[in-house]
Amino acid sequence: MSFKIAFIGAGSIGFTRGLLRDILAVKEFNDIEVAFTDINEHNLEMVTQLCQRDIDRNGLKIKIQATADRREAVKNARYVFNVVRIGGIEAYQHDIDIPLKYGVDQCVGDTLCAGGIMYGQRGIVAILDFCKDIREVAQPGCLLLNYANPNAMVTWACNKYGGVRTIGLCHGVQHGHEQIANVFGLKKEEVDIICAGINHQTWYIQIRHNGEDLTGKLLEAFQKHPEYSVTEKVRIDMLKRFGYYSTESNGHLSEYVPWYRKRPGEITDWIDLGCWINGETGGYLRVTTEGRNWFETDFPNWMKEPAFEYKEELRSKEHGSYIVEGLETGRIYRGHFNVVNNGAISNLPDDAIVEVPGYVDANGINIPRVGDLPLGCAAVCNASISVQRLSVEAAVSGDDKLLRQAMMLDPLVGAVCNTNEIWQMTDEMLVAQKQWLPQYGKAIAEAEERLKSGSLIPVKEGYKGAARLHTKTVEEMARDRESAKRNAGAADKAEERPAEKK
């Protein structure tokens, strides 16, 4: 069979290559068309070289269409993978550093909190342009598979305003599933789970082994685990308070709720610095910066190393390739996907993007009814959904009042800052990121005037946060090339598994 798949943001270091390996490991897909597009032509060229080398070594005849012309890339595509990071590291640095001046200490800052909200403002305005191209030149009914964060906000905007059916994909469920099996001394395939919630705040509401429900035994198992009892303190505390384990990593989860990062002196009580994902201040920014710098430096060596092998047993657990396989071949796939709720979770709003079980086959993507989430879990999700809704509407309309309200209602920002601080912080973030925020022209001009006025609230200039580590130079990374290479692979948005140990 032949059809076309396009990757937008294909210049990512490892994720595009890994997804392509997953797709081309499906024997029926050996003659599909593949297109890569990215605004950074240098990154696009490097990743294309690496992936084309893999294709050639596996004996396939596919030639990647690499182009900076996005419309040309998505033309006639049946599937489009969105893996972009709008604004790159330059914008992302502002997402972390400006809130720090106001005491908002984030580990990741790409889903919720001040950084995630601004990431959404940049991403949504760009991705709605992607949707326009897809509507106009892609194959009718083209499916957009979104891996970009903030996943729920982007997926929400694409479905509501983009006119393109969009499924949000994440790997948090798979990783937590592995942890749960581990604490019980079982293999992952021996433990059946059902998750429901919203992206990065999804809950394992059912855990079964040989018909036995293990949910009630999970807290004790995690508390006794020699590694997770140290690295997952926030998740374990949430499990203790709410009764259910959360899909997302310790560092991610700590910044979505008001309790763990609001007092600098207490942050280190809840995190572990063995790996960035456990809660390090600006940890993902650091590993992303190091990874990009290392890939640029070490790329010739990557080209000398063995090519990826396209084998079924080497496929990752990312949902994307399995969804395409199910739709095209009819093989049944069960995963957890981010979709418009429409009643799947009965005590969350219908218009929200929820993460729930889904089944894929030749008949399409089918979402069962989950019913009610436990009340406490639903309350945590609803707080975030309100922030997401305001953020989406702000990004689409360019209404900075909605943006400021989203900041005020964000659980961690609201726990740390008063209203005047939030207004000024939002001014700073708008001005610093104006090149990626065309919808906010008038608001940015007004913010610039206010910031020039001189009557500003004092902030902690140069504050590095409660647990910030040094960003390594290329020379420092060269002393341990294998560790640097692993971190380069982890520097993509979509690969957030621990890649390092201090």
Side-chain angles (χ1 to χ4, degrees), residues 161-174:
Y161 292 108
V164 174
R165 189 182 184 200
T166 305
I167 305 294
L169 302 178
C170 184
H171 47 242
V173 171
Q174 298 96 301

Side-chain angles (χ1 to χ4, degrees), residues 172-182 188 191-193 204:
V173 171
Q174 298 96 301
H175 293 172
H177 190 179
E178 291 172 358
Q179 288 185 336
I180 289 168
N182 189 303
K188 183 179 176 183
V191 179
D192 187 63
I193 55 99
Y204 295 89

Side-chain angles (χ1 to χ4, degrees), residues 415-447:
V416 172
C417 298
N418 65 34
T419 54
N420 288 328
E421 290 165 339
I422 292 169
W423 242 243
Q424 183 174 298
M425 179 181 71
T426 305
D427 279 351
E428 283 205 58
M429 297 185 85
L430 283 168
V431 170
Q433 301 187 24
K434 63 181 178 181
Q435 69 187 92
W436 302 287
L437 300 171
Q439 73 273 46
Y440 284 110
K442 181 173 183 291
I444 289 171
E446 292 171 349

Side-chain angles (χ1 to χ4, degrees), residues 369-400:
R369 301 288 178 180
V370 174
D372 279 0
L373 276 183
L375 279 177
C377 299
V380 172
C381 290
N382 272 311
S384 297
I385 288 169
S386 293
V387 177
Q388 291 168 351
R389 181 184 289 105
L390 283 164
S391 298
V392 170
E393 298 302 325
V396 172
S397 65
D399 185 339
D400 69 309

Side-chain angles (χ1 to χ4, degrees), residues 12-41:
S12 59
I13 299 166
F15 192 52
T16 298
R17 187 186 183 200
L19 270 180
L20 186 65
R21 172 200 57 205
D22 292 349
I23 291 164
L24 296 182
V26 181
K27 60 182 183 297
E28 290 90 346
F29 295 171
N30 285 348
D31 61 349
I32 66 171
E33 297 177 58
V34 176
F36 286 176
T37 187
D38 200 292
I39 61 172
N40 187 319
E41 295 189 47

Side-chain angles (χ1 to χ4, degrees), residues 63-318:
K63 295 298 178 186
I64 297 170
Q65 174 194 4
T67 174
D69 184 337
R70 187 176 65 237
R71 285 177 70 86
E72 191 61 32
V74 303
K75 186 177 180 181
N76 299 321
R78 187 176 296 175
Y79 302 97
V80 174
F81 284 82
N82 178 38
V83 294
V84 299
R85 180 187 286 129
I86 300 298
I89 292 174
E90 181 184 352
Y92 187 27
Q93 186 92 40
H94 296 309
D95 289 341
I96 300 300
D97 289 351
I98 292 174
L100 265 179
K101 294 161 57 176
Y102 294 84
V104 181
D105 188 312
Q106 303 166 99
C107 171
V108 188
D110 70 355
T111 297
L112 211 66
C113 205
I117 291 169
M118 290 307 297
Y119 196 178
Q121 305 312 295
R122 302 193 303 272
I124 288 169
V125 71
I127 288 163
L128 291 181
D129 281 343
F130 302 175
C131 289
K132 180 175 183 292
D133 290 342
I134 291 169
R135 291 196 312 271
E136 293 177 355
V137 302
Q139 191 175 106
C142 177
L143 179 65
L144 178 57
L145 297 160
N146 176 52
Y147 274 101
N149 277 328
N151 200 293
M153 293 184 203
V154 170
T155 303
W156 192 326
C158 290
N159 280 292
K160 182 174 181 180
Y161 292 108
V164 174
R165 189 182 184 200
T166 305
I167 305 294
L169 302 178
C170 184
H171 47 242
V173 171
Q174 298 96 301
H175 293 172
H177 190 179
E178 291 172 358
Q179 288 185 336
I180 289 168
N182 189 303
V183 299
F184 287 120
L186 300 169
K187 295 179 180 178
K188 183 179 176 183
E189 55 269 25
E190 295 176 325
V191 179
D192 187 63
I193 55 99
I194 294 177
C195 285
I198 62 173
N199 182 239
H200 288 187
Q201 289 182 319
T202 308
W203 310 82
Y204 295 89
I205 58 174
Q206 181 176 293
I207 303 165
R208 290 189 179 274
H209 173 248
N210 290 337
E212 179 188 2
D213 190 341
L214 299 178
T215 308
K217 299 180 179 181
L218 195 59
L219 177 60
E220 182 181 4
F222 266 98
Q223 288 174 328
K224 289 182 176 179
H225 193 274
E227 178 184 350
Y228 300 147
S229 61
V230 174
T231 62
E232 305 291 353
K233 292 177 183 176
V234 171
R235 295 170 87 177
I236 291 170
D237 194 61
M238 291 285 283
L239 171 60
K240 178 181 177 181
R241 311 296 177 183
F242 289 89
Y244 297 88
Y245 196 58
S246 173
T247 54
E248 209 39 61
S249 69
N250 202 72
H252 268 293
L253 183 58
S254 68
E255 64 190 29
Y256 304 152
V257 290
W259 309 299
Y260 304 104
R261 302 187 77 98
K262 68 178 178 180
R263 296 172 184 157
E266 295 178 5
I267 290 175
T268 52
D269 294 341
W270 293 106
I271 69 170
D272 170 72
L273 292 176
C275 180
W276 70 269
I277 204 167
N278 299 333
E280 171 194 340
T281 299
Y284 190 47
L285 173 62
R286 177 184 64 79
V287 80
T288 300
T289 304
E290 291 177 356
R292 172 53 64 189
N293 292 343
W294 183 250
F295 185 64
E296 292 273 358
T297 301
D298 201 46
F299 175 71
N301 290 321
W302 290 51
M303 289 293 292
K304 295 173 187 175
E305 292 177 351
F308 276 3
E309 294 182 86
Y310 295 161
K311 295 181 178 180
E312 172 66 30
E313 62 268 25
L314 297 178
R315 288 170 79 180
S316 77
K317 300 303 181 184
E318 297 293 347

